[in-house]
Amino acid sequence: MSESAITITNLTKRFDDVTAIENLSLDIGWGELFGVLGPNGAGKSTTVNILNTLLKPTDGSATVDGHDVVFDPEGVRDVIGVCPQEPAFYRFLTGEENIILMGEMHLVSRDVLNERVKTMVEKIGMEDHIKRRAKDYSGGMIRRVSMLMALVNDPKIALLDEPTVSMDPNSRRAVWDFIRELKARGKTVILTTHYMEEAQELCDRVAIIDEGHLIELGSPAELIEKHKAKNLEEVFLRLTGKELREVV
């Protein structure tokens, strides 16, 4: 096991004439629940997609459990689970069948897989819907099934990109409890979210980025104290407020 779960050093990603991330450096520890916050277009999903090897950086480097995302992508994929912002699933299969299929692709034994799926489905509150075809799911159900697909291989590191979008409050709370349990089991969790309450409630530390730059880093409590704010949302709005957005 490497010293840090994830190390990002001077990471830059350019698309034609647009710079999505510029000189981003972060060090994320084992067992940490780390939030990545920012306005739309700040570079959050680009960062996640570099860490999960879907994108290659323009400059800089990133390692996941010591595996370089460019030079050892297979090593990275062996230790991560990814819940993408845009869910990928088979609409004609049931939710349960989608999760099992993903587990089989990760070569999880069928006995372990069946028990794991049953336990995960119960914890996330999908027992009454898991045997329905995915094409009939609401947006919140799709997000919950996508997260279970990402975690069915029991990864050391979970990359969750906006996992609670489209969820009602009860479903969101169930997912929060599920994420807390991941941390309690020693998993490292990277969470991108637009919900400041979610980040404040769950995260050990958060990185606030805008226009591809890291603009603040620390625990929610530290940032609230530093900026003399009522909550993390107020910190976020001050740092990525009207004046900054008008430049875009």
Side-chain angles (χ1 to χ4, degrees):
M1 183 181 291
S2 63
E3 186 173 340
S4 298
I6 294 174
T7 301
I8 299 172
T9 306
N10 299 325
L11 196 67
T12 297
K13 179 61 180 179
R14 301 186 187 92
F15 298 95
D16 298 325
D17 60 345
V18 175
T19 300
I21 309 169
E22 187 165 16
N23 293 325
L24 179 65
S25 294
L26 293 169
D27 192 76
I28 300 169
W30 287 107
E32 187 169 15
L33 209 169
F34 190 90
V36 182
L37 314 179
N40 288 330
K44 303 185 300 298
S45 292
T46 299
T47 301
V48 169
N49 285 336
I50 289 174
L51 293 176
N52 69 27
T53 75
L54 284 179
L55 292 175
K56 290 185 177 181
T58 304
D59 291 303
S61 64
T63 60
V64 179
D65 189 17
H67 304 282
D68 190 281
V69 297
V70 174
F71 300 108
D72 187 13
E74 290 299 326
V76 173
R77 294 171 197 144
D78 283 344
V79 298
I80 64 171
V82 183
C83 180
Q85 192 174 85
E86 295 297 331
F89 60 96
Y90 290 103
R91 294 173 57 82
F92 58 87
L93 296 180
T94 67
E96 182 179 60
E97 288 167 342
N98 271 287
I99 300 166
I100 289 173
L101 177 61
M102 185 61 66
E104 290 175 340
M105 291 173 66
H106 282 286
L107 304 180
V108 180
S109 71
R110 194 56 187 257
D111 288 345
V112 171
L113 183 57
N114 287 341
E115 184 59 33
R116 187 175 292 169
V117 171
K118 180 177 182 293
T119 300
M120 293 170 71
V121 166
E122 289 174 353
K123 287 179 178 177
I124 212 161
M126 283 286 290
E127 306 98 310
D128 295 337
H129 310 286
I130 202 63
K131 295 188 182 296
R132 291 170 53 190
R133 293 193 185 277
K135 67 181 180 66
D136 298 323
Y137 281 167
S138 66
M141 291 177 188
I142 289 169
R143 297 303 299 172
R144 281 186 281 173
V145 167
S146 294
M147 191 161 75
L148 298 191
M149 290 171 67
L151 300 173
V152 71
N153 61 323
D154 195 29
K156 295 164 69 174
I157 299 171
L159 306 176
L160 309 181
D161 196 1
E162 303 282 356
T164 61
V165 168
S166 302
M167 288 187 187
D168 61 71
N170 287 336
S171 297
R172 182 172 292 129
R173 291 286 174 173
V175 170
W176 286 10
D177 289 342
F178 189 83
I179 293 173
R180 287 191 185 98
E181 184 172 325
L182 292 176
K183 174 179 167 56
R185 292 172 54 211
K187 306 296 185 182
T188 300
V189 181
I190 312 302
L191 173 71
T192 76
T193 181
H194 279 112
Y195 300 115
M196 296 302 108
E197 178 192 7
E198 182 167 277
Q200 183 172 329
E201 182 80 16
L202 296 177
C203 295
D204 298 312
R205 288 191 301 155
V206 298
I208 300 177
I209 62 176
D210 197 17
E211 298 184 45
H213 294 273
L214 177 66
I215 59 176
E216 190 58 282
L217 174 67
S219 73
E222 288 170 347
L223 298 187
I224 291 167
E225 173 63 25
K226 177 180 177 180
H227 293 276
K228 308 301 180 188
K230 294 182 295 185
N231 50 42
L232 189 59
E233 182 174 2
E234 187 172 304
V235 174
F236 180 84
L237 291 173
R238 288 182 187 179
L239 293 172
T240 63
K242 180 179 179 181
E243 293 81 5
L244 185 56
R245 286 200 296 267
E246 283 179 343
V247 177
V248 179

